[in-house]
Amino acid sequence: MTTIKKLLVANRGEIALRVLRSAKEMGLQTVAIFSEADRQALHVRYADEAVCVGGPTSAESYLRGDKIIAVCQELGVDAIHPGYGFLSENAGFARQVREAGLIFVGPTPEAMEMMGDKLSAKQAVKTYDIPLVPGTDEAISDVPAAKRIAQEVGFPILIKASAGGGGKGMRVVNTADEFEEQMQLAVSEATAAFGDGAVFIEKYIGSPRHIEIQVLGDEHGNIVHLFERECSIQRRHQKVIEEAPSSVLTPELRAEMGRTAVDVARACQYTGAGTVEFLLDEHHNFYFLEMNTRLQVEHPVTELITGLDLVKEQIKVAQGEPLGFRQEDLTITGHALELRVYAEDPQNNFLPDIGTLTTYVRPQGPGVRVDDGFEQGMDIPIYYDPMIAKLVTYGADRQQAIARMLRAIEEYQITGIETTLKFGTYVLQHPAFVSGHFDTNFIRDHFSPETLAPTPPDEATAKVAAVLAAMLLETKKPQAAAAATETGAATASAWRRNRLGGR
Ligand code: MV4
C-alpha cells in the first residue's frame, strides 16, 4: 500500500475534469497538464496546479510522456491517471512511469501488451475456454493455406489486422475467388497503417450487437465484472449511443458473459478498470473480440446502474487496496443512456464542425448528468477529438431513461456549431431503438441525412412513430403505447420556442 497524495491527470477535456473531480473528493492534490491550445480549458482551472507541456498538437503535448514524467518529479506527484486516448494504452509509457518510481493508474505494462494486440490476446485466453469467432488464432501469410481455412470456416469471412483497432484494416471477403486479392490489400493496409502486416481470419458476423463488459481487478487477485454496456449504435466505428443494461441480455446470459469477461481479465492478471468486448450474434452466441485496458468514454452508464465511482475504484486499486466488494454484492439498479454530443453535422455526413460555442446551456433536472469540458463562449479546438459532451440520463427503467434523454436534449442549448444532438432525438424515437431490435448496422439501415427534418417533426408523424414503437415492444401493455406516445410525440417544442425565440 502506497497512499497517493498528489495525482497528475495526463489528459484534457471532459475526462480530465471527470478524473479531477473524483481525486478532489478523495482529498488528493491535483495537477493538470495542458497544451498551448488549452490555456483557458476547464481542467486547467479546476486542478490545484497546471503545467503547460507544449504546443497545440497532441504530439507536442499530451503525448509527451517524457515531459509529463518530468513535471511529476518537479511537483512531487506520486501517481498519473492517463484518462482515455493519448497515453492511456501505451505500455512503453506505463513502464517509464513505473521506472520513474511513480504509480500508473491503470493495468501493468505486461497486461497492456498482452491485450494490445488482437492475436496475442487470443493466445492469452487460450487456456480459459473463452468463445472466439471461428477462424485463425495466428497470423496468416500463406495465401493457399489461408484460403483453405476460409473455406472451412465458410464465407463471408473477415480479414483483420492484428495490430488494428477501431475497425481499421478490416476487409470482408464474400467468395473464394476474391480471397487472394483482398488478403494482399489487407496485408499492405496493415503494414502501412500499423507497421505490422500480421492479419488473421474470422467468420464474418453480419448483424452483431456490440456488448462490452466492465471489469475491475485489484492487486490481490480479486476480479469482478460490473455488467454490460450495449454499444451497437455506432457510425464509422465511433460510438454514438451507449446504454446499460442491454435490453437483449437475459440474467443467465449476463452472468455467463460476466464470468467469461472475468476469465479474460484473469488470463492477463488484470488490475484496475478494463473492458472486455464481445460480439453477440442473432442467435445470442457471444464471442470475445478484444480487451480495452483503460477507462472508457462510456463508463458513466456503468456508474449510474451500479452506484460505483469507477475513477475512485481505479485510484484505490492503484494504491494497492483490495476491492471493497465481491461479485455477489453487485446489482443493477435502473437504466442509463449516454449520448455523445459531437461537434459534427449529421446532415452533412457527420463532418466535423469547428467554431465558437456562442450559446452553451446544459440541461438539468432529475436523472441528468453532463460530462463536458466547455463553457459558453469557448472555441472548439481543431486539434483534438470533436466530442463536446457526454449527455447521460438515468431512470428507473429504460423508458424513463429515454424520456429523460429526449427532455434533456430539448433543454440543451448549443448554437455556433452543429452538433449530433438532433441525431440523438432521431435515434431515441426510432421504433427499432425503442423496441430494442437493433444491431451495429442501425445507422446504415435506418438513417440518411435527409431523415433529419430541419424543424421538429409535426406531432402526427411523431405519434405514428411512437405507437409503432409501442407495438414493437415485447410487452404489449396498453400503458406502453401511451408512454411511448408521451416520449415520442413528446419533446413539445414550446420550451425551445419560448427560450430561443423560435429557433
Ligand atoms: C467483427 C464483425 C463481424 N464479424 N468481427 C469492428 C471493430 C472491431 N472492434 C471489431 N469490429 C467488428 N468485428 C467479425 N468476425 C463486425 C465488426 C463491426 C463492428 C463491431 C462492433 C461495433 C460496430 C461494428 C461496426 C462494423 C463492424
Side-chain angles (χ1 to χ4, degrees):
M1 276 275 300
T2 345
T3 310
I4 298 171
K5 292 192 198 73
K6 193 167 182 177
L7 180 77
L8 179 142
V9 181
N11 215 300
R12 64 177 302 282
E14 67 89 16
I15 195 61
L17 209 46
R18 162 75 195 85
V19 173
L20 289 168
R21 287 192 159 113
S22 287
K24 186 161 283 189
E25 285 178 29
M26 295 172 84
L28 307 185
Q29 286 177 274
T30 56
V31 179
I33 56 159
F34 61 98
S35 71
E36 281 162 20
D38 275 340
R39 284 189 185 281
Q40 305 302 321
L42 291 184
H43 75 280
V44 176
R45 284 190 254 156
Y46 195 92
D48 298 326
E49 293 169 88
V51 181
C52 181
V53 289
T57 66
S58 304
E60 297 169 281
S61 53
Y62 299 105
L63 290 171
R64 287 295 301 268
D66 54 341
K67 284 197 183 179
I68 294 167
I69 291 172
V71 169
C72 291
Q73 283 159 339
E74 217 164 290
L75 299 184
V77 165
D78 31 41
I80 298 180
H81 194 302
Y84 55 71
F86 298 125
L87 295 166
S88 63
E89 293 181 284
N90 186 320
F93 176 66
R95 195 166 273 126
Q96 283 160 9
V97 171
R98 186 166 71 185
E99 281 161 8
L102 303 166
I103 294 173
F104 181 80
V105 181
T108 61
E110 292 75 22
M112 283 162 84
E113 269 159 2
M114 215 181 270
M115 291 294 150
D117 170 286
K118 296 192 176 86
L119 282 171
S120 72
K122 286 188 191 224
Q123 292 304 320
V125 304
K126 237 179 170 172
T127 55
Y128 282 83
D129 198 27
I130 305 292
L132 301 175
V133 186
T136 54
D137 56 9
E138 275 171 56
I140 46 162
S141 45
D142 177 357
V143 173
K147 205 162 164 175
R148 271 198 304 281
I149 295 167
Q151 250 140 358
E152 276 169 44
V153 167
F155 287 93
I157 59 113
L158 192 59
I159 304 177
K160 289 186 176 180
S162 183
K168 268 198 217 124
M170 298 197 328
R171 297 197 91 89
V172 181
V173 186
N174 289 303
T175 59
D177 46 284
E178 295 170 19
F179 186 84
E180 195 157 343
E181 187 191 341
Q182 293 297 329
M183 177 156 159
Q184 266 147 15
L185 285 169
V187 171
S188 51
E189 247 175 47
T191 310
F194 315 111
D196 174 0
V199 298
F200 61 101
I201 292 173
E202 281 182 359
K203 172 138 195 75
Y204 178 61
I205 316 282
S207 303
R209 295 177 78 118
H210 172 133
I211 307 268
E212 57 186 35
I213 308 271
Q214 177 71 55
V215 296
L216 199 53
D218 66 20
E219 292 172 2
H220 309 274
N222 304 301
I223 305 176
V224 298
H225 72 82
L226 306 178
F227 313 105
E228 78 279 8
R229 292 185 289 260
E230 159 80 63
C231 307
S232 298
I233 311 285
Q234 312 203 351
R235 53 163 179 86
R236 296 195 298 249
H237 304 290
Q238 181 90 271
K239 293 166 186 163
V240 186
I241 292 174
E242 302 100 340
E243 64 179 313
S246 163
S247 45
V248 279
L249 296 199
T250 59
E252 294 73 33
L253 188 53
R254 174 171 296 121
E256 205 187 329
M257 290 180 79
R259 275 195 300 275
T260 306
V262 168
D263 281 343
V264 170
R266 213 174 290 291
C268 61
Q269 298 176 359
Y270 200 81
T271 50
T275 298
V276 182
E277 259 184 51
F278 295 98
L279 285 186
L280 184 72
D281 72 15
E282 57 262 1
H283 311 293
H284 288 188
N285 299 308
F286 65 88
Y287 308 98
F288 165 60
L289 275 191
E290 54 194 91
M291 182 169 190
N292 300 317
T293 57
R294 59 168 190 275
L295 182 72
Q296 298 210 175
V297 175
E298 59 273 24
H299 76 277
V301 295
T302 300
E303 297 191 314
L304 293 176
I305 63 152
T306 59
L308 289 168
D309 178 329
L310 280 172
V311 173
K312 273 187 200 165
E313 296 304 326
Q314 285 186 298
I315 293 171
K316 288 199 276 187
V317 163
Q319 58 186 11
E321 287 184 45
L323 293 179
F325 40 81
R326 292 155 302 179
Q327 189 66 53
E328 54 271 30
D329 301 326
L330 298 167
T331 51
I332 297 176
T333 307
H335 199 99
L337 289 170
E338 174 177 288
L339 170 67
R340 298 195 193 182
V341 185
Y342 289 104
E344 289 175 352
D345 186 357
Q347 273 161 291
N348 190 8
N349 202 24
F350 293 97
L351 225 67
D353 198 22
I354 50 160
T356 305
L357 289 167
T358 318
T359 317
Y360 187 72
V361 182
R362 296 173 191 89
Q364 295 178 312
V368 175
R369 164 174 168 180
V370 181
D371 282 21
D372 65 12
F374 289 102
E375 274 183 342
Q376 186 162 296
M378 285 183 174
D379 292 324
I380 309 286
I382 55 166
Y383 302 100
Y384 319 106
D385 186 86
M387 192 175 77
I388 302 169
K390 303 185 308 204
L391 174 55
V392 191
T393 61
Y394 176 76
D397 56 22
R398 189 167 187 263
Q399 241 178 35
Q400 192 180 33
I402 292 175
R404 283 184 165 155
M405 183 64 83
L406 289 166
R407 185 265 295 169
I409 293 171
E410 183 77 19
E411 286 183 28
Y412 220 142
Q413 294 177 59
I414 304 178
T415 64
I417 47 156
E418 288 300 325
T419 76
T420 49
L421 274 177
K422 56 183 174 292
F423 174 74
T425 303
Y426 171 79
V427 176
L428 290 166
Q429 291 183 325
H430 196 284
F433 183 81
V434 174
S435 65
H437 296 280
F438 59 89
D439 57 46
T440 53
N441 301 313
F442 179 90
I443 291 176
R444 185 198 72 191
D445 293 349
H446 300 295
F447 180 75
S448 58
E450 311 84 70
T451 318
L452 289 184
T455 50
D458 64 82
E459 286 205 14
T461 321
K463 257 185 190 136
V464 170
V467 171
L468 187 59
M471 283 163 56
L472 278 166
L473 282 171
E474 268 132 338
T475 53
K476 287 192 182 103
K477 292 182 222 143
Q479 315 92 283
T485 308
E486 251 173 73
T487 59
T491 57
S493 45
W495 163 262
R496 189 148 285 273
R497 254 199 323 275
N498 295 343
R499 273 187 108 177
L500 299 179
R503 247 195 306 258

